[in-house]
Amino acid sequence: MNLEVFKHIYFRMPTAVRLLLSIFVLMFLFGLVIHLVEPNQFPSIFDGVWWAFITGATVGYGDYVPLTIPGRIIGILLLLSGGGMLTFYITTLAATTINHENKLSEGKVSFNGSHHIVVIGWNERTKQLADMIADKDSNQEVVLIDRTLDKLPYRHYPVHFIHGDPSEDVVLVQAKIESADAVLISADITIDERKADINTILATIAVRGNNQDVPINAEILTISQVDNAIRAGADTVISSNDFMSTLFYHELFHKKHTRPFETVLNLLESQQFNHVPLPDKMDGSTFKESVLFFLENGELLIGVIRDGEWHMNPQHDMELDKDDTLLLLSAW
């Protein structure tokens, strides 16, 4: 290896690694020299290197001490050079650590994991979602992409923050979108609804272009943009305005002593919906018979999807067909 190649490699190393390598080389040289100068006092090169590190770190155990004038001169040179380098290394390492944490908080560090969930858009809804995921499964990693945040304290939130526009490939590469298990695109409710939906659709197109298989859940605010979101590649379109309007209606006109919002909230916290095809042996059975069948397995049959139509809590004597999809409730 010639000098230019060595310089090319050495000066492209991280600062902390470069300093550590320099310290090892310097301490080895001092250990070798003191061993050659005082072989009786320092029987091996390792003993000399040990003395160099202990002296350079200003610990000074006193187990190895130079006795001759040349040896003590070497010790003085070691304190002047090696000690300063060790101190500089420690301060540089601390500064590098703090700088890295600041970059994490500023969203400038790429994510290097896999099987993670990518959440696009930071708001109170996604904040609570991140807390719920951390509470249910602390091992599940969440990567947040947002362009409006300048800083997100790394220690305070259980997410890996990436600052940037989610419709740009370079930002999605930083979030390692090709290895993600799922993507949620949350609408920006601080801007015009139509503009927010356009941003959501652009992000959906970019994500689908970088990962053809990842499930994309997109929140759309206006009904007119639902079909466009599906065309863009969204697997599930969450029409939050429709959901809230329906919930408002239930709250206004519910029966006495009923609490629709609390009921839905507690239902979704403890139960999950499952869509399953009708088992072959249940073909031709009634809805009531199927309810009893699934209850034995700890699941509750609440509806049937037939030819694209949803039949929630249908008549108990409704006969089920092999092409039906059953809607079940089961514990998480």
Side-chain angles (χ1 to χ4, degrees):
M1 182 184 296
N2 59 38
L3 182 60
E4 289 302 318
V5 174
F6 173 78
K7 287 168 59 179
H8 179 81
I9 297 174
Y10 180 78
F11 287 104
R12 280 170 172 75
M13 291 180 179
T15 304
V17 175
R18 196 163 66 240
L19 273 173
L20 187 61
L21 180 62
S22 300
I23 289 171
F24 272 107
V25 172
L26 186 64
M27 294 304 166
F28 176 80
L29 291 176
F30 272 105
L32 175 62
V33 172
I34 198 69
H35 165 68
L36 296 176
V37 172
E38 297 192 17
N40 295 328
Q41 191 69 8
F42 300 91
S44 68
I45 296 176
F46 179 79
D47 292 330
V49 173
W50 167 257
W51 167 81
F53 270 103
I54 296 303
T55 304
T58 67
V59 175
Y61 288 132
D63 48 354
Y64 294 97
V65 179
L67 300 179
T68 65
I69 292 178
R72 290 177 178 177
I73 292 175
I74 293 171
I76 293 172
L77 295 175
L78 173 61
L79 287 171
L80 292 174
S81 57
M85 185 170 285
L86 278 171
T87 303
F88 185 59
Y89 168 74
I90 294 171
T91 56
T92 300
L93 187 62
T96 302
T97 302
I98 295 172
N99 186 46
H100 182 73
E101 185 170 334
N102 287 335
K103 286 184 177 180
L104 281 171
S105 298
E106 294 169 0
K108 297 178 180 178
V109 179
S110 298
F111 181 74
N112 293 318
S114 60
H115 301 294
H116 52 292
I117 295 174
V118 175
V119 175
I120 296 176
W122 186 245
N123 47 52
E124 191 62 28
R125 303 188 305 283
T126 52
K127 177 183 174 182
Q128 291 187 23
L129 172 63
D131 290 335
M132 289 174 64
I133 294 174
D135 182 60
K136 299 289 185 182
D137 185 2
S138 59
N139 293 322
Q140 177 63 62
E141 294 188 273
V142 176
V143 176
L144 168 71
I145 302 176
D146 190 277
R147 58 182 169 187
T148 62
L149 284 174
D150 292 326
K151 193 170 185 178
L152 186 68
Y154 180 72
R155 297 183 182 182
H156 297 170
Y157 300 99
V159 298
H160 183 105
F161 173 45
I162 301 291
H163 176 77
D165 188 337
S167 64
E168 296 180 357
D169 288 348
V170 64
V171 175
L172 295 176
V173 169
Q174 280 186 287
K176 210 170 182 182
I177 198 72
E178 72 277 5
S179 302
D181 280 348
V183 176
L184 172 68
I185 306 175
S186 177
D188 185 356
I189 60 175
T190 64
I191 60 176
D192 177 74
E193 289 186 345
R194 183 175 177 81
K195 185 177 180 181
D197 286 345
I198 292 174
N199 290 341
T200 298
I201 291 170
L202 286 174
T204 302
I205 294 172
V207 171
R208 183 57 70 211
N210 284 273
N211 190 329
Q212 292 293 321
D213 302 318
V214 66
I216 301 176
N217 306 278
E219 181 185 13
I220 293 295
L221 301 178
T222 57
I223 297 297
S224 61
Q225 296 300 321
V226 170
D227 289 338
N228 288 331
I230 295 174
R231 294 189 191 102
D235 297 281
T236 302
V237 175
I238 304 169
S239 186
S240 54
N241 284 344
D242 283 351
F243 177 76
M244 291 307 300
S245 297
T246 304
L247 193 56
F248 288 156
Y249 181 85
H250 277 267
E251 285 291 344
L252 289 171
F253 299 103
H254 63 75
K255 293 182 179 181
K256 192 176 182 180
H257 305 306
T258 303
R259 298 179 177 178
F261 176 75
E262 292 182 15
T263 301
V264 172
L265 186 62
N266 283 280
L267 172 67
L268 296 178
E269 283 185 352
S270 60
Q271 302 288 312
Q272 62 177 321
F273 293 104
N274 284 332
H275 290 191
V276 298
L278 181 72
D280 293 336
K281 61 181 178 180
M282 300 301 296
D283 186 14
S285 62
T286 65
F287 182 78
K288 180 179 179 180
E289 292 170 339
S290 299
V291 169
L292 296 175
F293 171 79
F294 283 103
L295 278 176
E296 293 180 356
N297 297 321
E299 296 179 304
L300 177 62
L301 175 62
I302 61 174
V304 179
I305 304 175
R306 176 179 292 176
D307 298 328
E309 295 185 5
W310 293 57
H311 304 272
M312 305 301 295
N313 191 24
Q315 295 293 326
H316 66 86
D317 57 353
M318 174 185 179
E319 289 190 5
L320 301 183
D321 184 78
K322 61 180 181 179
D323 296 323
D324 290 340
T325 298
L326 305 183
L327 179 57
L328 305 174
L329 269 179
S330 59
W332 280 102

